[in-house]
Amino acid sequence: MRYSVPLCGLLASVAFASDVHELKKDTFKGFIEENDLVLAEFFAPWCGHCKALAPEYESAATTLKEKDIPLAKVDCTEEQELCQEYGVEGYPTLKVFRGPEDIKPYTGQRKADAIVSYMTKQSLPAVSDITKDSIEEFKTADKVVLVAYFAADDKASNETFTSVANGLRDTYLFGATNDAEIAKAEGVEQPAIVLYKSFDEGKDVFTEKFDKAAIESFAKVAATPLVGEVGPETYSGYMQAGIPLAYIFAETPEERDELAKELKPLAEKHKGVINFATIDAKAFGQHGGNLNLEVGKWPAFAIQRTDKNQKFPYDQSAKITNELIGKFVDDFVAGKIEPSIKSEPIPEKQEGPVTVVVAKNYDDLVINNDKDVLLEFYAPWCGHCKALAPKYEELATLYGTEELSKLVTIAKVDATANDVPDEIQGFPTIKLFPAGKKDAPVDYSGSRTVEDLIQFIKENGSHKAEAVKAAEPEVADEKEDLPEQAKAATEEAKEEVTENAGSEATESAKSATSDEHDEL
């Protein structure tokens, strides 16, 4: 069939029509002022994460257009000044605007349905008033919805529920009613909270005393699927849940569904104690190695204590059945299973100024002593770690004097070859474990210079020990160092952009399954 040129042009315009508003410096402020609520993406055309987000963002924009919630985007390669004005340091950066002055970062997932859900919640009050005419529609307005039922004169319950809603409004949809007839129709007595959900049994009921912490805990547990799925969009949520996570590794969707069905009774039995989730072994099998499983030997099962980063791999030669896994999980809960610990051999002799820590001597060298311990968590392949190495050795040498070595230890651990108590988000990660306060390590986020690290140890260490760095060379010598200094500054700046822009899930199978593992 032949089309005329005008018709072809019309078809092309229809095919490429976008519901995302592309803004520039001269149109941005006016657009923000004209709309009560806007989600804006600051991107770069070459950015891989931006390209991955694009179809999701377009789909969300089309859906949200019906709700009068516009989505916009700004090309930071063309609008550099505008992006700098809004503090854009990595791509993509998404911000929620309620006028030019009320700006907050978008903290939801970067999938179409998640964007729609998040922005829908942003468009509503923290707690929506529910009536008999709106209850049915509201119950299905999102994947998870919480509705409180309390009497009109129950001000305490009202205030507590509103406080919870204000704190969690980005995560859940909240509604409330004091109509006793609606409560009766829903099968609850005032006061109560019902969490409606589009999965599992469909709802959970909270009938305890309206306590803020108790409601928040209830919501977190009830809103988690009995057997969910671990992926880039969900990993951080599971890590922050505060309870162990049981992984079910399998290569095909069919096998994951089958195993999820098999183990669902266990998930129900241990609800609120252990989270269960399947994971795509083809896409994220490398993460099995992080759990001390043999990569490639699937299906497999393992439990991770997220608070202590302890791993409990299930025997990969045994079958995965409700009965066998049930006994394994029961033993885990009862504390009858020892964690699997991956460790390099303890060095026969410490060579070099930096103390080498492995899993088997971690407690002795880092925790069970009266020293301030500065510990670098590194990866052998990490470029930033290699760049830091000579400065870190210089720092260790300065603290290696007879006097200072009694107070401070400068140490490092290969976090890819040794299990460590904390889930490390990127390399290098540097923490100070102060004497007498080992359970509250201080993260280092400053510039990676010897001087700044010395100051950090002095300010945060229990002993306030300060090493003295030799005086800098004369001005003439400093000039010779300028190219190296410039290179270092460039690397530092590039590093910051990389760490910010790379905060989304990596496409590499070497990465684990979440933002927290992008740099691993």
Side-chain angles (χ1 to χ4, degrees):
M1 182 181 292
R2 297 180 62 188
Y3 295 104
S4 65
V5 173
L7 180 56
C8 288
L10 175 61
L11 290 173
S13 66
V14 171
F16 294 101
S18 172
D19 289 318
V20 178
H21 302 267
E22 187 158 4
L23 304 177
K24 299 183 179 298
K25 184 179 180 181
D26 58 350
T27 60
F28 189 86
K29 187 175 181 181
F31 187 84
I32 297 300
E33 290 175 340
E34 291 170 8
N35 294 278
D36 295 331
L37 179 66
V38 176
L39 177 62
E41 176 202 5
F42 299 87
F43 75 100
W46 47 260
C47 163
H49 296 304
C50 303
K51 292 176 183 177
L53 172 63
E56 304 288 342
Y57 202 65
E58 286 283 354
S59 176
T62 300
T63 302
L64 289 170
K65 181 180 180 181
E66 301 173 1
K67 301 184 179 184
D68 293 323
I69 304 174
L71 268 58
K73 64 181 180 180
V74 176
D75 184 344
C76 289
T77 63
E78 294 184 359
E79 304 295 330
Q80 296 181 19
E81 187 177 331
L82 180 61
C83 293
Q84 288 176 358
E85 180 181 345
Y86 288 104
V88 176
E89 296 180 347
Y91 308 121
T93 291
L94 290 91
K95 294 179 181 286
V96 178
F97 288 80
R98 287 187 173 85
E101 305 301 324
D102 188 351
I103 310 167
K104 293 181 179 178
Y106 170 85
T107 58
Q109 299 170 4
R110 294 178 182 176
K111 294 292 183 182
D113 58 348
I115 294 171
V116 170
S117 173
Y118 187 94
M119 294 307 295
T120 299
K121 288 192 278 283
Q122 296 297 311
S123 69
L124 297 172
V127 180
S128 298
D129 289 328
I130 304 300
T131 67
K132 63 180 180 180
D133 295 326
S134 65
I135 179 67
E136 290 303 321
E137 181 180 357
F138 190 80
K139 284 160 54 176
T140 59
D142 205 2
K143 289 183 178 179
V144 174
V145 175
L146 287 97
V147 177
Y149 300 87
F150 43 72
D153 59 353
D154 188 352
K155 293 183 179 179
S157 295
N158 189 355
E159 291 175 359
T160 300
F161 187 72
T162 300
S163 176
V164 173
N166 284 328
L168 299 176
R169 63 174 299 170
D170 292 349
T171 308
Y172 310 119
L173 202 59
F174 291 85
T177 178
N178 53 38
D179 190 328
E181 290 300 316
I182 298 179
K184 183 178 180 181
E186 292 299 312
V188 296
E189 293 184 6
Q190 301 170 326
I193 299 171
V194 179
L195 184 144
Y196 300 95
K197 50 190 175 183
S198 59
F199 49 87
D200 292 341
E201 65 274 30
K203 71 177 184 179
D204 278 281
V205 181
F206 178 86
T207 55
E208 301 172 27
K209 181 181 178 182
F210 271 44
D211 172 78
K212 187 172 184 288
I215 295 172
E216 290 173 344
S217 177
F218 160 77
K220 184 180 290 186
V221 172
T224 303
L226 285 174
V227 182
E229 182 177 2
V230 177
E233 305 296 334
T234 61
Y235 181 85
S236 60
Y238 279 118
M239 289 299 102
Q240 295 165 12
I243 62 176
L245 173 60
Y247 295 84
I248 307 166
F249 282 85
E251 292 185 299
T252 67
E254 294 78 15
E255 191 172 25
R256 290 194 292 277
D257 288 344
E258 182 181 335
L259 289 172
K261 185 178 179 180
E262 172 80 12
L263 301 183
K264 189 172 181 179
L266 294 177
E268 193 161 9
K269 175 183 177 181
H270 297 285
K271 184 178 180 179
V273 178
I274 302 175
N275 282 326
F276 283 70
T278 61
I279 180 169
D280 186 341
K282 280 187 177 179
F284 308 117
Q286 193 64 32
H287 188 55
N290 296 333
L291 300 169
N292 298 345
L293 290 168
E294 181 182 337
V295 176
K297 195 172 182 179
W298 315 121
F301 182 87
I303 300 175
Q304 179 183 15
R305 277 199 61 176
T306 57
D307 57 340
K308 296 184 177 180
N309 196 27
Q310 292 177 334
K311 295 84 179 276
F312 301 81
Y314 174 73
D315 183 359
Q316 287 176 268
S317 65
K319 290 185 178 181
I320 296 179
T321 65
N322 183 288
E323 182 180 356
L324 293 175
I325 295 295
K327 184 179 186 309
F328 179 80
V329 174
D330 285 343
D331 287 345
F332 167 79
V333 173
K336 297 179 180 179
I337 302 178
E338 291 294 321
S340 167
I341 299 177
K342 178 172 62 177
S343 178
E344 294 178 296
I346 296 176
E348 293 182 7
K349 180 183 178 182
Q350 290 288 351
E351 298 180 358
V354 180
T355 298
V356 176
V357 173
V358 299
K360 290 180 178 178
N361 65 8
Y362 186 95
D363 285 347
D364 290 338
L365 296 181
V366 180
I367 306 299
N368 300 329
N369 57 65
D370 297 324
K371 293 184 179 183
D372 294 331
V373 180
L374 187 73
L375 182 62
E376 176 202 2
F377 300 83
Y378 75 95
W381 45 259
C382 164
H384 298 311
C385 303
K386 294 175 183 177
L388 172 64
K391 291 180 280 187
Y392 204 66
E393 288 191 1
E394 180 183 351
L395 178 73
T397 300
L398 293 174
Y399 278 99
T401 65
E402 183 177 354
E403 180 183 355
L404 290 177
S405 63
K406 297 176 182 177
L407 305 175
V408 177
T409 296
I410 307 299
K412 65 179 180 180
V413 59
D414 180 350
T416 67
N418 297 276
D419 286 335
V420 293
D422 295 318
E423 187 76 15
I424 303 304
Q425 299 181 3
F427 299 123
T429 288
I430 301 173
K431 295 175 180 280
L432 179 68
F433 294 80
K437 296 181 286 186
K438 301 289 188 170
D439 59 342
V442 184
D443 291 321
Y444 181 72
S445 58
S447 299
R448 292 167 190 157
T449 66
V450 174
E451 295 85 355
D452 286 336
L453 286 165
I454 289 173
Q455 189 64 24
F456 175 71
I457 294 171
K458 178 186 176 183
E459 291 179 356
N460 296 281
S462 297
H463 297 300
K464 307 301 178 185
E466 181 180 13
V468 179
K469 190 170 185 274
E472 294 293 331
E474 297 296 325
V475 175
D477 293 333
E478 287 181 354
K479 289 182 179 179
E480 294 177 5
D481 289 343
L482 284 179
E484 191 63 31
Q485 293 171 5
K487 178 183 176 183
T490 301
E491 286 300 316
E492 191 74 26
K494 189 161 66 175
E495 174 184 312
E496 291 179 6
V497 172
T498 300
E499 290 177 351
N500 280 287
S503 63
E504 279 303 295
T506 179
E507 297 172 358
S508 169
K510 180 178 76 174
S511 167
T513 58
S514 79
D515 295 352
E516 295 186 65
H517 283 80
D518 288 344
E519 299 174 70
L520 300 190

